[in-house]
Amino acid sequence: MKTPIYLDYQATTPLDERVLEAMLPYFRDKFGNAASRNHAFGWEAEKAVENARAQVAVLIGAESKEIVFTSGATEANNLALKGIAEMYREKGRHLISAPTEHKAVLDPLQRIEQDGGSVTMLPVDKFGQVKVSDLEQALRPETVLVSLMAANNEIGTLHPLAAIGKLCKARGVLFHTDATQGVGKIPIDVEAMGIDLLSLSGHKIYGPKGIGALYVRRRNPRVRVSPQIDGGGHERGMRSGTLNVPGIVGLGVACELARIELDAETLRLTGLRERMWAKLRSGLDEIHLNGHATERLPGNLNVSFAYVEGEGLMMGMSDLAVSSGSACTSASLEPSYVLKAIGVGDDLAHTSIRFGIGRFTTEAEVDFAAERVVIAVKRLRDMSPLYEMAKEGIDLKEVKWSPTEH
Amino acid sequence: MAYSDKVLDHYNHPRNIGSLDKNAADVGTGVVGAPECGDVMRLQIKVNEKGVIEDAKFKTFGCGSAIASSSLATEWVKGRTVEQALKIRNVDIVEELALPPVKVHCSVLAEDAIRAALADYQKKQVAASCAVDSGDGNSAEATTKAG
């Protein structure tokens, strides 16, 4: 087995060999600009782009013309949120979202607020899901957009997209979903789910980095977004800039592979995830699953290992590549805001580890990883004053601590 | 983030993990930090009749740098007198372990832990000597133990 073992598939994924093969010609001989309408090089590139557009569209039940290529999901989110806020400014300036969204949604929303818009953040339950009834109450006559993610990047929790889309449709409000983590991992159909805008990214689905797309509905209703990058009028004017042809080709193939393998992969990854969770639970006491037990991404397992700090734990299992909600792993020194939003206390947030399982994870790797985690947690608990105190029956919540200034 | 060799060494081979009897008169215990902040250090010292720290133990909940800082702190206080131990500064720990700026608070916590343990020890000494003056039997027993 090759180490370190990659278990951070929600951060990024390796490029699938089949995707790379498809891309290579477009770096070499087929280097044309898709906007060159007057020669074979351009036609060749354009044909490849249109083929990829169809591959992306079919994965989410859309039509080719509804796909706008971007540099990634961050740009797609910016285009959707700011583009809608600007375009529908006269209709209303109210948007609705949730605190567990990715920063690529939260920060554009903050910008919209600074520019005079208003944003309602729906509460989420302990699993990270919003209640459709809360959304219904938050809708106002001037609400133009609801933005709720398909699957959470940290805790893997899925949102009830179809129910949200249905309500939005009934109330004439546009529905955007950041489906960066969901596309290719869970079935998504923009028609059945009433989605009007959807962001996706290449590198989360074994495609290349630097490419993504925004789905923009063309009928029932026809959605219009104000472009955020002006220039040559590419992508029907919604996103100017010479098309990243190799990236687009890669994204297209990545979408096709994800679509073909989705059902089998869902089963396989869910099995691996449950295997890992069972092994951790049999080896350790006082561990907590963050997020929903079943309504979650197949390849996401987020666990808090009480009394053991996340970064310290990661250091103890350096042959595993995982990530943590601990503050020590971020520049901010604040623990995960997603865990905070679902009511996980800062004490447990500091002990969380996210295991991301994906296409190239094997059963042997999962077994090895689980074993490593159990050993590392036990070792660190033996040197944890908190574990000792808890075992002595001391209620840590009652202890008067002396936090220092960082 | 890459860790320095010394941090890795202390993390992988921590010195002086464990506990001393926190009720003993010759033991000082310092617990600093908070679970909500992601680090809690408990440092204990055992002082002999000459005022020299003859043993030190720690347990730490925290990142690798926090564990290394407290491990190093126990190493440094051992063999020093109480007065000498009070002179250990967090900057010395930062330098020794080559901690990056974002981890300086780990060294601050370690210095706090040393001070808290020393203060606890000194408080016990004062309490014990006052008890001897007033002829309290129970505490006299404690001073005997300490002495």
Side-chain angles (χ1 to χ4, degrees):
Chain A
M1 198 182 310
K2 214 177 102 194
T3 60
I5 293 170
Y6 190 74
L7 289 174
D8 206 7
Y9 277 84
Q10 275 89 58
T12 192
T13 61
L15 195 68
D16 191 299
E17 278 294 326
R18 297 167 287 183
V19 173
L20 178 64
E21 283 305 317
M23 289 170 70
L24 286 175
Y26 295 91
F27 287 109
R28 292 174 177 145
D29 312 332
K30 305 182 181 182
F31 60 85
N33 186 329
S36 297
R37 293 279 158 78
N38 302 308
H39 53 65
F41 293 89
W43 299 330
E44 195 172 44
E46 192 194 11
K47 195 179 151 204
V49 166
E50 292 318 310
N51 183 45
R53 205 184 294 280
Q55 288 170 315
V56 175
V58 73
L59 176 63
I60 58 169
E63 284 172 24
S64 291
K65 283 183 174 173
E66 297 175 314
I67 303 299
V68 177
F69 289 114
T70 65
S71 63
T74 293
E75 191 197 326
N77 285 335
N78 272 269
L79 177 56
L81 299 165
K82 295 176 186 168
I84 291 293
E86 275 176 36
M87 184 60 80
Y88 294 84
R89 204 185 170 102
E90 299 305 313
K91 186 178 175 235
R93 305 197 66 185
H94 179 239
L95 295 84
I96 299 172
S97 189
T100 49
E101 293 291 316
H102 193 273
K103 289 285 182 193
V105 166
L106 296 178
D107 287 0
L109 287 176
Q110 204 176 12
R111 180 72 66 111
I112 289 165
E113 272 187 314
Q114 281 166 2
D115 292 345
S118 72
V119 178
T120 298
M121 286 292 172
L122 297 174
V124 292
D125 63 18
K126 63 178 177 176
F127 303 119
Q129 290 180 323
V130 297
K131 278 201 193 68
V132 177
S133 56
D134 285 337
L135 172 59
E136 189 159 19
Q137 282 186 359
L139 288 168
R140 302 182 200 160
E142 67 271 23
T143 308
V144 289
L145 183 72
V146 170
S147 180
L148 292 166
M149 69 206 314
N152 185 272
N153 50 300
E154 286 190 34
I155 55 174
T157 298
L158 310 180
H159 267 145
L161 297 182
I164 295 165
K166 192 176 166 193
L167 173 63
C168 290
K169 200 111 296 181
R171 302 288 288 269
V173 175
L174 297 177
F175 174 32
H176 164 250
T177 186
D178 173 3
T180 307
Q181 298 287 347
V183 161
K185 315 287 169 66
I186 54 167
I188 290 181
D189 186 310
V190 292
E191 285 304 320
M193 294 173 163
I195 297 164
D196 298 306
L197 301 115
L198 176 148
S199 306
L200 62 91
S201 173
H203 77 103
K204 306 287 190 189
I205 53 172
Y206 314 95
K209 294 170 179 63
I211 190 69
L214 179 67
Y215 155 78
V216 185
R217 177 175 287 280
R218 263 169 66 92
R219 57 174 95 103
N220 301 322
R222 180 183 177 86
V223 177
R224 290 156 50 81
V225 295
S226 199
Q228 302 299 305
I229 296 178
D230 299 314
H234 308 77
E235 298 297 272
R236 294 185 295 122
M238 281 187 268
R239 203 280 188 179
S240 289
T242 296
L243 295 182
N244 169 5
V245 178
I248 289 168
V249 169
L251 175 63
V253 175
C255 284
E256 180 158 306
L257 293 173
R259 182 176 58 81
I260 294 166
E261 298 178 0
L262 192 131
D263 291 348
E265 270 294 271
T266 299
L267 269 178
R268 195 183 73 88
L269 293 180
T270 306
L272 286 179
R273 182 190 77 204
E274 291 307 310
R275 185 181 176 92
M276 176 110 187
W277 178 228
K279 281 184 179 286
L280 293 177
R281 265 189 312 174
S282 71
L284 297 164
D285 61 349
E286 299 207 52
I287 65 174
H288 311 277
L289 180 71
N290 296 315
H292 202 284
T294 53
E295 287 166 45
R296 74 185 300 137
L297 280 177
N300 174 281
L301 185 64
N302 189 311
V303 182
S304 283
F305 298 91
Y307 320 120
V308 172
E309 198 275 330
E311 190 200 334
L313 179 55
M314 288 200 293
M315 202 171 153
M317 37 195 213
S318 52
D319 38 15
L320 306 183
V322 296
S323 75
S324 171
S326 150
C328 291
T329 60
S330 68
S332 68
L333 289 177
E334 287 289 323
S336 154
Y337 67 88
V338 172
L339 294 178
K340 207 181 186 85
I342 64 169
V344 174
D346 281 358
D347 51 344
L348 274 180
H350 280 291
T351 72
S352 75
I353 297 283
R354 179 185 70 183
F355 302 96
I357 299 166
R359 186 175 287 171
F360 305 107
T361 309
T362 65
E363 198 173 272
E365 285 179 334
V366 164
D367 291 353
F368 176 87
E371 213 169 279
R372 271 304 146 99
V373 175
V374 170
I375 292 169
V377 170
K378 281 185 172 164
R379 182 178 101 91
L380 289 173
R381 279 183 175 174
D382 281 344
M383 54 203 269
S384 167
L386 304 181
Y387 190 64
E388 187 183 304
M389 291 163 92
K391 288 292 150 191
E392 283 172 359
I394 297 169
D395 184 353
L396 297 178
K397 299 252 184 280
E398 298 298 316
V399 176
K400 208 172 156 279
W401 300 102
S402 54
T404 50
E405 295 298 316
H406 285 314
Chain B
M1 191 193 332
Y3 299 97
S4 73
D5 290 342
K6 283 188 176 155
V7 168
L8 283 172
D9 182 42
H10 277 279
Y11 176 85
N12 290 320
H13 312 283
R15 282 53 141 181
N16 310 308
I17 288 185
S19 316
L20 298 170
D21 177 10
K22 62 175 180 283
N23 298 316
D26 58 347
V27 170
T29 302
V31 181
V32 296
E36 291 74 23
C37 302
D39 28 38
V40 175
M41 283 181 193
R42 189 192 65 195
L43 194 141
Q44 294 181 296
I45 51 164
K46 187 177 185 206
V47 185
N48 67 17
E49 63 278 15
K50 291 176 193 145
V52 174
I53 298 167
E54 62 174 32
D55 200 6
K57 296 279 182 200
F58 85 96
K59 280 200 176 187
T60 289
F61 161 81
C63 64
S65 303
I67 289 168
S69 296
S70 36
S71 170
L72 178 67
T74 58
E75 230 179 13
W76 278 1
V77 296
K78 270 208 217 177
R80 293 197 194 205
T81 63
V82 170
E83 289 69 34
Q84 287 167 340
L86 276 169
K87 290 188 181 128
I88 295 171
R89 288 286 174 273
N90 83 292
V91 287
D92 305 328
I93 296 171
V94 171
E95 197 174 321
E96 174 68 15
L97 295 176
L99 297 179
V102 70
K103 295 296 183 187
V104 167
H105 74 272
C106 298
S107 70
V108 173
L109 210 56
E111 184 188 314
D112 289 351
I114 295 172
R115 286 164 179 276
L118 292 167
D120 182 55
Y121 168 75
Q122 286 170 329
K123 202 173 75 187
K124 279 183 182 176
Q125 293 302 301
V126 172
S129 64
C130 292
V132 171
D133 291 345
S134 65
D136 184 304
N138 290 336
S139 299
E141 193 186 301
T143 26
T144 317
K145 231 191 268 172

